[in-house]
């Protein structure tokens, strides 16, 4: 069931985010926290740093340190069981950037819909609709990940496609070494060139992001409405710029026969993973795999047709600092949302969950890669 | 925010469904009902009849009248504002069909995950995991649709692809006339042949379903977590067999440039509809378009490898009555889930909604078709 | 946090009730059920029989068997983890009784407020506002009690006062033997005479009900908004006819000094129990004690001044079958609501709860009585 | 339905509070805010000042300015419709005060239950259990009151009893002029003397607080579980130190006959107000009246028996700055909680609410006083 609180995520673990792009601060409150857990602020800051602007020449140059501070809920470096409030004060306001477009609806943005819905809007950098809101998600997700790591759940994410150029192999190590967070060194340069070409043309490109969740025990997710895939889809579709989500074989499943698509079962494991690790809405012990369609950045410098507040048609060339492709900086946000959905599902039914959990260091990433690759190849042939 | 009640859908309008495939009854309770609305049971029965098994030679032959009765909440043919409970008593139990597979996990089904999660399961026809549960969704959705029709919102749904064979044109009239609910008379026979071939081979096929929601005013949906697309994705991914969802240009958006994908705005309308009618999580007044990846039916008669309760590897050939492709009977369920999500979003913020609404009879379906077709063509080229 | 679903009770265990006094049926759905629990329908029917009308000459003579049936969620006499739907079909409709007062607002009833709020109402026996709705609560509560008994929690309830005549001693055995469910044989006859006098005068009387919850471990309830006493108060105040609730020393606490009221602590137990078993909103291991102010039955036969739909002043003499005092039949409802609140609190934080629980057969009811009596005496002196 | 978020209040308007007594900050986030409303921070600060310590010689001398700042959700002095975050940074930490009692459970406090529930606690001034948390409630309530004032709803509160000494008359003007916020100048000196005597004896006293909510239209509150009185009871019982709540005639109703207690109806108004303005859980247009039993302050300087962490029996004399009676400073908190409950009920069903509302300046406080006094006298005779 979805809740009336549009700024809160989760059922047993609840995260409310607040704050605008160019307001005083962006922050969050986590409720439903178990008491006595170690609280590692440094690890949270590290995740924020992955999302932070200005990391390479392929992302926006807005300068924000994004230093997070804790206001409550932590005592002697442990959670107290009471709400954890965290906040980042905004520093690099450049409101002047936005004065010019105060009365104009930027195509692809929420300007039009916010204005029609609320009657007015905080036009400074998108206000609440800004991607800056996601730093609060990343902070909460980083905390959720700490808890999940302790029970053997690991997240891996990378970009599968950039600007329509698909990766052919998954090289886990390479992912963290390139600014596009793609997984195939063989096509990286073509992808990079496509992004740079878009920058030169004052344009932008999209991509396909992929998230793997390893080490989930069997039994997460509820049948009927709160299926694990439904919850992950909801979590990821709530990220600005995501236009589609698929699990396992995904849209390609629609083109398979039942005898092809059904994962045969042997020794409690599934021979292929077309299901993407979820059967009947419940995790089956396999790797959960999902892919997100990420649209090209809406803010582009080239001339576009639009209208202003009065309905008058105008043209616009958006100034300011923007990512030519949001897929790289979207990955930590997507991981964070998945972590929140998974940890929430775990807490919601902790009594049904096994005592013994996986040891994260045991994962055979190479064999996982092999299986994943096979799926991908099949869906492409 | 998702709620802990895994069998309840909605925030302001809440629907709880109950019942198992071969138990006493399947039913639902709707809470959050406005008082004094006319209640049309016949229209609800008609929607149920669209979902009912046994409608053609291409669907399961289980014989159920699916007659629905009202237990509460209606007085003198109007809603009272109190919970509406409705129930369908099951008739065509064939428990014998399931005795043989009581201890075996059918591939592609929730048998394995239910057993691991709950320790045991009602194995009769999938119990709670059965598609039969969706009749309760259709009943609730039919009621929601009645309210939405009154405010000018219309639903159209059809299958875009069956067994990998894609429709090229949208012929609205044709959709209701063919048992596969596809939209292109030109490819229907090839699609039908593919389904029949699968039946002969004791196999099954999948498809891609598409839903159009017309007449939505600007302003439905909340930014941040309760975006309209996030809620629709959640609603549709909660339907068994759906493996992916996309909006507007969907996954194809990932391959477009910003200058291509951004819908230019003119005269308060959007020149293309790559966004699928939603900007920043809020409806923009355009047609909302979503597509669902429907996997091939899991129940197939051909021999499959699997395991039983004891972990022993066994082979299985599933007997009984099954749809060779669930996409046709999935459409009323998908429409119902979308109607519930939309009506719920409407009620959640009714004060922000306009008094004046569209007149449903005004829609120019032909011009809508033209635009939609263009999008589709583009995404396929 | 209170939820928008006005007919649903609970957070982790959620009960929705439906049905009207003279409609087709009254029923309920329980969601959030743990799988694999034994399900004892007979025990549920027994609790319903305690609430059922027609048990003595001091309650209404409406003849209802109140036979409950299960529609879903139970398989081979165990819970499946899926929603349990139960229903009682109404039998003894006497709609003629209500035709005469269709357009008149009965004083003390919800007629006036329902009509103003909803625009119209199901006037037959109060419709949804009828005490008959509480049978659904009792059924759900009976099930919750079964689970609580298994973990050592016991409920005792009785009437402390009837018609202003207070009990001086608590005789547990006597409670179940007298139709007023009072606890003092010494004053029972005076109380009975007062009720009979009210009946003769076509009038009614009120009472004070008391509930003891024994065997709760330390730690139930959340600080801040979801305090255990706040939840119990909410649960009990939602019963029609309850006008006040107090815990432990209750209103008398307002007249004590801190040095008197603070329960000294020795050997992990509290020397007195002025707190009523709850400190800072969390159970402290002591008996939880609450008292409810039950107003006199609103339906009385004597002549009353009121108005009709048109605002015209009229007089009314209510016909039909009514309890002269609702306190006796209210006890199972109050126990049910407390059981639902307690079991819900337990499930909400089951991981914080101890593995070892009390053995219900160990309770020393005599010494508990002694302590309770002392509190009562003090508050009366 | 109660929600799993123990730190969130409300359904349509949701307030989450965070922060500990001696932590970095105490704050809150309001979600479900309507856009475009004027936001008056000064009025919020004024309400906080009423709750602030150090206002007279009869309250604690802890020195806190309690200056509140806004972090988000307000743009150009209007609400944006997005979450309003507000925070007060703590100043007057005196952690040394609490070192001595770090391992000892103070009688009457949540120390024992927090420790048993959470395994440890932030012992500095009660941490999350401190009355300091209520400043966040007052800030949220002040904002809710601004909205309610605009629709004609007014709150009046005062203390009816202090230390067992009851007021006989209600002098509205006097309430704001005396530090105990009592309503009868004739008994104030006796009440003051009782408080001072308790201070001298290192002891404390309790009181009975009363809240009147005027100008509510007919129709607020839902039948069954979300009755308006159930919600107000929940709201007020969630305030630390409240041990009972009653509406209208309250516990005295239990001693009345139906013919006495039923409020006769004439000209759409109720001749007496024994019901306390609520019938069947729905406001009837009359003044809503509730009374709270406030226990004597738990922190007292005199010697008390208790135990420490190891279970060892010890004696304790609590040092530090404490209110001899919390009833005076509880009033703004109680008003705030009632305002939140009422505004939330309003928003939850705003479409059922009338367009035209009362004009707050029209209230005839004198005649209201007369009626109220009559009720009180009757209940005391």
């Amino acid at each position: 069931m979805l809740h009336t609180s549009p700024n809160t995520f989760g059922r047993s673990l609840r995260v409310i985010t607040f704050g605008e792009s160019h307001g005083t601060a962006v922050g969050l409150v986590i409720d439903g926290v178990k008491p006595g857990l170690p609280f590692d602020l440094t690890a949270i800051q590290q995740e924020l740093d992955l999302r932070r602007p200005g990391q390479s020449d392929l992302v926006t140059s807005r300068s924000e340190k994004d230093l997070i501070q804790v206001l409550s809920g932590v005592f002697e470096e442990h959670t107290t069981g009471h709400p954890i409030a965290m906040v980042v004060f905004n520093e690099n306001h450049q409101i002047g950037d936005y004065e010019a477009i105060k009365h104009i609806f930027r195509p692809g943005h929420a300007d039009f819909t916010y204005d029609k819905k609320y009657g007015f809007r905080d036009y400074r950098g998108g206000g609440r609709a800004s991607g800056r809101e996601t730093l609060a998600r990343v902070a909460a997700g980083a905390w959720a990940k700490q808890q999940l790591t302790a029970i053997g759940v690991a997240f891996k994410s990378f970009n599968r496609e950039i600007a329509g150029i698909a990766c052919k192999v998954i090289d886990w190590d390479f992912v963290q070494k390139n600014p596009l967070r793609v997984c195939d060194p063989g096509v990286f340069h073509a992808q990079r060139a496509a992004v740079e070409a878009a920058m030169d043309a004052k344009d932008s490109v999209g991509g396909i992001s992929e998230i793997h969740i390893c080490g989930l025990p069997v039994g997460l997710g509820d049948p009927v409405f709160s299926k694990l895939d439904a919850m992950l889809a909801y979590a990821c579709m709530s990220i600005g710029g995501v236009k589609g989500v698929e699990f396992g074989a995904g849209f390609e499943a629609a083109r398979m026969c039942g005898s092809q698509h059904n994962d045969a079962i042997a020794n409690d494991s599934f021979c292929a993973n077309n299901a993407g690790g979820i059967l009947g809405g419940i995790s089956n012990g396999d790797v959960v795999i999902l892919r997100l369609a990420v649209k090209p950045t809406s803010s582009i410098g080239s001339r576009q047709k639009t209208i202003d507040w009065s309905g008058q048609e105008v043209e616009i060339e958006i100034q300011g600092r923007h990512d030519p492709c949001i897929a790289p900086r979207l990955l930590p946000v997507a991981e964070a949302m998945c972590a929140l959905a998974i940890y929430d599902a775990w807490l919601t039914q902790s009594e049904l969950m096994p005592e013994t959990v996986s040891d994260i260091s045991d994962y055979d990433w190479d064999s996982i890669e092999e299986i994943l690759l096979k799926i991908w190849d099949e869906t492409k042939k």
Side-chain angles (χ1 to χ4, degrees), chain A residues 105 125-126 138 246 253 262 335 376:
Chain A
F105 303 133
V138 171
E246 61 176 17
N262 279 351
E335 279 198 27
W376 186 250

Side-chain angles (χ1 to χ4, degrees), chain A residues 101-180:
Chain A
I101 52 167
K102 184 171 165 174
H103 296 299
I104 298 178
F105 303 133
R106 293 167 299 162
H109 275 286
D111 297 354
F112 177 82
T113 50
Y114 266 53
D115 245 48
K116 296 289 176 184
K117 184 185 182 89
Y118 299 110
F120 77 123
R121 70 183 202 277
D122 178 347
Y123 53 80
R124 301 165 305 168
R128 185 73 182 140
S130 167
R132 191 153 176 75
E133 179 269 339
T134 62
L135 79 79
R137 305 183 184 209
V138 171
W143 186 78
K145 266 195 211 172
Q146 290 174 24
Q147 314 317 315
L148 289 171
T149 300
I151 50 181
V153 179
F155 293 82
K156 292 245 171 183
S157 69
F158 53 91
N159 287 314
R160 184 55 98 164
E161 254 193 52
I162 292 290
I165 303 167
C167 294
K168 311 284 186 212
V169 301
I170 305 182
D171 178 337
W172 297 111
D173 295 329
F174 182 66
V175 172
Q176 294 309 319
K177 290 181 192 148
N178 74 82
L180 296 174

